[in-house]
Amino acid sequence: MKEEILAAQIANQLRRNIVLGKLQPGASIKERDNAAELGVSRTPLREAIRILATEGLVELRPARSPIVAVPTIQMISDDVEVLLAVEKLSGELACARATDAEIAALAEIVADMDARFDTTDALDMFETDMGFHRAIAAASHNASLAEVHGTLLARLWRARYLAAIQKRNRARVVEHHTAIVSALQARDPALVRDAIQTHLATLRVDIVNTIEAERAVAQDSESAKSA
Amino acid sequence: MKEEILAAQIANQLRRNIVLGKLQPGASIKERDNAAELGVSRTPLREAIRILATEGLVELRPARSPIVAVPTIQMISDDVEVLLAVEKLSGELACARATDAEIAALAEIVADMDARFDTTDALDMFETDMGFHRAIAAASHNASLAEVHGTLLARLWRARYLAAIQKRNRARVVEHHTAIVSALQARDPALVRDAIQTHLATLRVDIVNTIEAERAVAQDSESAKSA
DNA sequence: CAACGATTTTCGGTATACCGATTTTGGTTA
DNA sequence: TAACCAAAATCGGTATACCGAAAATCGTTG
């Protein structure tokens, strides 16, 4: 566990806190306070903040405290749009380059999700889901693509998490994943693209709805406070 | 000029040096030496190195000096593959969202390149070329997409620069750019995708050839040294 | 002479100190 | 009471100091 650099560990810790909502969007991240809290010095903490900034989870402001990013609906929508293109390309390339073992592993993940359908808690299910998408990116055998994909996933992690724990349409998720795996097994690029398109188009709607609902609630408590 | 943070300025400086070959691929970047050389302390220099690392221009090694990245042919090819998808999406979105002024500006760039065809030096022409591609990404009106595009451009900057200064097929570049602009003016997404596909497919070949040639030369001087 | 090993040097990672800009505050005044 | 201004606290940006690990050097040995 000591093999990783301290700044990376801190970044992981902060990322968890942001994604899980322990650090609310808009909250300021003061270097001294957080460093003291985590028992480290400002230097690696500062580096961790920069890492999260490149991931889009933190917003840097000149001569001001960094704050947990408050993505606009527009930005989230933009991210999904890019993710869609990236993942479609991943799927397409995976058709040509993925090993049978990699595709089998994907099928295994889907089978697993299906089996634990209504027994597993939302967080576990969500992480399995993310693992599935990451595995598709990896199966493209294009490191650059996988990296971009990872960045987008991190940026959308919180929004997707909020959408996922409502688990309104787990059934549809499993159904979509099944379609994607089938297309990959057939190694049919066009089919894979369609399946991913369908999946992520649904996702975009879910995410935007969830975020809009969250913003509405935040708006309410804000006006209530001023009353 | 003081408005930018010191680390960003240093990153710009180092980026120029790397792209122009003043810092050769594989060269180690020692924090103390370079900091002293630029008259700054290690802290902002270190931060600059991290910035360049996220751009893929520098490679971080655990407990070792960072080195100027030595991208493999595979990695460059991967990058171009992603860039192709990103730029096709940019063009497609630009068809729907770009303002007439933005498209006119693109046409202006192409006209400019065409006019200065054989009077301008390679570096100027290259920077104009890069500006053209950046403008397409901007015209997508998708901030996330433009950002990813920018990162890929930075990563490929040196390789494209080496390919461009050979200016073997400036004519073809202008021709391709003209086709792209025409398709954008017609706001025909399929046509734009095709035009960009053609342009970047050519680019990939040029880049790979150039890098392979460079590597061959490096190989030669390496074996000569050991003789 | 070559292979090896201990010592010294170098370097990245981390902590701490200092500075200037910004924000907050507390008191003063209209 | 509210607007304002100056003193003080806060915080990010930068410089410097310290530490342990890796690497280079050099003497030793087979």
Side-chain angles (χ1 to χ4, degrees):
Chain A
M1 196 64 93
K2 277 289 298 296
E3 285 311 299
E4 209 169 25
I5 210 151
L6 186 54
Q9 298 178 40
I10 298 173
N12 290 339
Q13 178 67 41
L14 291 177
R15 192 182 299 108
R16 265 199 299 278
N17 289 344
I18 292 175
V19 167
L20 298 180
K22 288 181 145 192
L23 284 173
Q24 298 262 344
S28 72
I29 308 177
K30 302 183 210 292
E31 292 186 0
R32 280 172 237 268
D33 293 359
N34 286 72
E37 183 141 349
L38 297 174
V40 298
S41 78
R42 284 178 59 201
T43 314
L45 179 78
R46 182 182 168 79
E47 208 175 302
I49 289 177
R50 303 303 157 129
I51 293 173
L52 297 178
T54 70
E55 294 177 1
L57 292 179
V58 161
E59 183 181 344
L60 264 36
R61 307 175 300 176
R64 305 275 284 277
S65 283
I67 62 175
V68 178
V70 190
T72 62
I73 302 283
Q74 179 65 50
M75 288 163 67
I76 292 174
S77 182
D78 283 357
D79 283 337
V80 177
E81 197 163 54
V82 180
L83 180 66
L84 178 53
V86 164
E87 211 154 303
K88 282 200 287 191
L89 178 59
S90 295
E92 180 185 328
L93 294 179
C95 283
R97 302 180 189 163
T99 65
D100 288 338
E102 283 168 335
I103 293 181
L106 281 164
E108 179 63 30
I109 293 176
V110 174
D112 190 47
M113 279 185 78
D114 195 21
R116 302 183 316 173
F117 191 77
D118 35 25
T119 64
T120 311
D121 74 66
L123 183 54
D124 274 359
M125 186 64 98
F126 175 67
E127 291 186 336
T128 304
D129 188 357
M130 292 297 99
F132 177 76
H133 288 275
R134 229 196 291 277
I136 291 177
S140 74
H141 289 264
N142 179 322
S144 177
L145 189 59
E147 186 188 318
V148 170
H149 183 266
T151 300
L152 289 168
L153 270 196
R155 203 175 297 195
L156 286 169
W157 203 278
R158 174 171 155 74
R160 290 183 85 161
Y161 174 67
L162 291 178
I165 57 177
Q166 304 210 328
K167 59 177 178 183
R168 274 198 300 250
N169 40 23
R170 277 192 179 185
R172 187 150 40 158
V173 168
V174 171
E175 177 189 323
H176 286 171
H177 283 192
T178 304
I180 294 172
V181 167
S182 297
L184 279 172
Q185 284 169 330
R187 294 188 184 269
D188 181 335
L191 214 56
V192 170
R193 293 186 78 100
D194 284 351
I196 292 176
Q197 167 79 41
T198 301
H199 184 42
L200 292 193
T202 303
L203 176 73
R204 166 140 54 168
V205 174
D206 283 352
I207 290 182
V208 168
N209 284 343
T210 305
I211 298 298
E212 274 175 349
E214 188 197 39
R215 294 291 151 81
V217 172
Q219 185 70 26
D220 282 355
S221 57
E222 190 67 23
S223 22
K225 185 159 53 182
S226 70
Chain B
M1 197 62 96
K2 279 290 299 293
E3 284 311 299
E4 212 169 23
I5 210 152
L6 187 53
Q9 297 178 41
I10 298 172
N12 290 336
Q13 178 68 43
L14 290 177
R15 193 182 300 110
R16 265 198 299 277
N17 289 344
I18 293 174
V19 167
L20 297 179
K22 288 183 145 189
L23 284 172
Q24 300 258 342
S28 72
I29 307 178
K30 301 185 211 295
E31 292 185 359
R32 286 175 171 80
D33 293 1
N34 287 70
E37 181 140 353
L38 296 174
V40 298
S41 78
R42 284 177 59 204
T43 314
L45 180 82
R46 182 182 167 79
E47 207 175 302
I49 289 176
R50 304 302 156 132
I51 293 173
L52 296 178
T54 69
E55 294 176 1
L57 293 179
V58 161
E59 185 182 341
L60 263 35
R61 308 175 299 175
R64 303 277 285 277
S65 283
I67 61 174
V68 178
V70 190
T72 63
I73 302 281
Q74 178 66 50
M75 288 162 68
I76 292 174
S77 183
D78 283 357
D79 283 337
V80 177
E81 196 163 55
V82 180
L83 180 65
L84 178 53
V86 164
E87 212 157 300
K88 282 200 285 192
L89 178 58
S90 295
E92 180 184 328
L93 294 178
C95 283
R97 301 179 189 163
T99 64
D100 289 337
E102 283 169 334
I103 294 181
L106 281 164
E108 179 63 30
I109 293 177
V110 174
D112 189 48
M113 281 186 78
D114 194 21
R116 303 182 317 174
F117 191 77
D118 34 25
T119 64
T120 311
D121 75 66
L123 182 54
D124 275 359
M125 186 65 96
F126 174 67
E127 291 188 335
T128 304
D129 189 355
M130 292 299 99
F132 177 77
H133 288 274
R134 226 195 292 277
I136 291 177
S140 75
H141 289 263
N142 179 322
S144 178
L145 188 59
E147 186 187 319
V148 170
H149 183 266
T151 299
L152 290 167
L153 270 198
R155 204 175 295 194
L156 287 169
W157 202 277
R158 175 170 155 74
R160 291 183 83 161
Y161 174 66
L162 291 178
I165 57 177
Q166 305 211 329
K167 58 177 178 180
R168 274 197 302 248
N169 40 24
R170 277 192 181 185
R172 188 152 38 162
V173 168
V174 171
E175 179 188 322
H176 286 170
H177 283 194
T178 304
I180 294 172
V181 167
S182 298
L184 279 171
Q185 284 169 331
R187 294 188 183 270
D188 181 333
L191 214 55
V192 170
R193 292 187 79 100
D194 285 351
I196 292 176
Q197 167 79 41
T198 301
H199 183 41
L200 292 192
T202 303
L203 176 72
R204 166 140 52 167
V205 174
D206 284 352
I207 289 182
V208 169
N209 283 343
T210 304
I211 298 297
E212 274 175 350
E214 188 197 39
R215 294 290 151 81
V217 171
Q219 186 69 24
D220 282 356
S221 57
E222 190 67 24
S223 21
K225 186 159 52 184
S226 70

